[in-house]
Amino acid sequence: TTPTTPSRLYTRYDYYERSQRVTALQRELGMKFVDGIYGPQTRRSHIDALGGPAVAILIFHPEVWENPTPCSHGCLPGDGHYDLPTLGALINEYFLPEDRELALRIAFCESSGRSWDIGSTEVSHAFAVGWFQHLAKFWPDRSEKAGWGEYHPFHGEANVAVASWLFYNSGKHHWNPSKECWKGSL
C-alpha cells in the first residue's frame, strides 16, 4: 500500500458480507449509500478503486499466477515468437463437431470472443478470466484436473481446453449466467 491508498482496499470481502469493516470500506470509497453490505455496487466501486478487475485478480487471487505458463525462451502472447491459434481453431480442436457452434456462442456471450481472436485478456468484476470466463478461485483446481495446471487462465489454449473439460465432465451449467445469450445455439 501507499500513503494515498487505504489498506482497506487490499482486504478481501465475501460477497454480501454484512459487517462494520464493509461500512468502513463504503465510507472510504465515498459511496452515497452506506449499508454495511458488500453487494454489487460496493464490489464494483471497490474493484474500480483498486484499478480494475485485472489488478484485483493479482491482489486477491495470486494463486492464478503461481505456475507461469511454460515457454522455452520467455515468450509472451503476441510477441512474435510463435503464432497463436485462434479461438475458432482451439474450439475445433477441443470440442466435438456437434458442440462447436454452442462453444463459440458461449465464448462470445461470456467475453465477446470471436472465432478469429488470438487471445483474451478479459476479466470481469466477478474475477472471471478469458474467453470462457473461468472464475479465478476455481482455476487452480480445475486446470490441474483438466491437465493444464501449469498454465494461467489467460493462456488461450488452456482457457479453451479447461472449458472443454468442464463442458464434457459436468455440463454447460457453468455458463448459465449468460444462458439467455447462448441458449438459441442449442
Side-chain angles (χ1 to χ4, degrees), residues 88 91 99-109 113-115:
I91 285 175
D99 300 321
R100 290 175 184 159
E101 181 184 341
L102 175 58
L104 235 129
R105 188 69 185 160
I106 288 172
F108 176 79
C109 295
R114 293 184 179 89
S115 64

Side-chain angles (χ1 to χ4, degrees), residues 40-55:
Q41 278 132 356
T42 301
R43 181 182 178 118
R44 181 172 296 277
S45 294
H46 180 206
I47 291 169
D48 288 346
L50 287 169
V55 174

Side-chain angles (χ1 to χ4, degrees), residues 146-179:
W148 290 84
E150 294 183 10
Y151 293 80
H152 57 70
F154 291 106
H155 185 274
E157 187 171 7
N159 195 282
V160 174
V162 174
S164 172
W165 178 83
L166 279 172
F167 186 90
Y168 291 114
N169 284 282
S170 63
K172 56 188 171 280
H173 70 275
H174 295 282
W175 300 280
N176 275 351
S178 66
K179 187 175 183 175

Side-chain angles (χ1 to χ4, degrees), residues 7 14 26 30 82 89-90 105 128 143 156 164 173:
S7 62
D14 292 327
Q26 289 172 326
Y82 57 92
L90 291 169
R105 188 69 185 160
S143 64
S164 172
H173 70 275

Side-chain angles (χ1 to χ4, degrees), residues 13-32:
Y13 302 87
D14 292 327
Y15 210 49
Y16 290 109
E17 173 182 331
R18 292 174 179 256
S19 67
Q20 291 295 79
R21 65 189 199 130
V22 173
T23 300
L25 173 69
Q26 289 172 326
R27 287 189 177 122
E28 212 162 270
L29 292 170
M31 295 185 69
K32 291 179 183 178

Side-chain angles (χ1 to χ4, degrees), residues 52-154:
V55 174
I57 279 199
L58 292 172
I59 295 168
F60 299 129
H61 294 283
E63 68 276 7
V64 166
W65 305 102
E66 285 177 2
N67 293 318
T69 299
C71 182
S72 63
H73 50 279
C75 43
L76 297 170
D79 70 0
H81 283 102
Y82 57 92
D83 291 327
L84 294 171
T86 64
L87 172 60
L90 291 169
I91 285 175
N92 285 344
E93 183 175 343
Y94 288 95
F95 285 84
L96 297 173
E98 62 268 20
D99 300 321
R100 290 175 184 159
E101 181 184 341
L102 175 58
L104 235 129
R105 188 69 185 160
I106 288 172
F108 176 79
C109 295
E110 290 286 327
S111 67
S112 299
R114 293 184 179 89
S115 64
W116 58 84
D117 290 344
I118 59 166
S120 176
T121 57
E122 193 68 33
V123 180
S124 76
H125 277 74
F127 305 131
V129 181
W131 284 317
F132 282 92
Q133 291 291 279
H134 294 282
L135 291 171
K137 66 183 176 183
F138 297 129
W139 180 261
D141 182 57
R142 289 177 178 173
S143 64
E144 185 67 35
K145 287 178 180 174
W148 290 84
E150 294 183 10
Y151 293 80
H152 57 70
F154 291 106

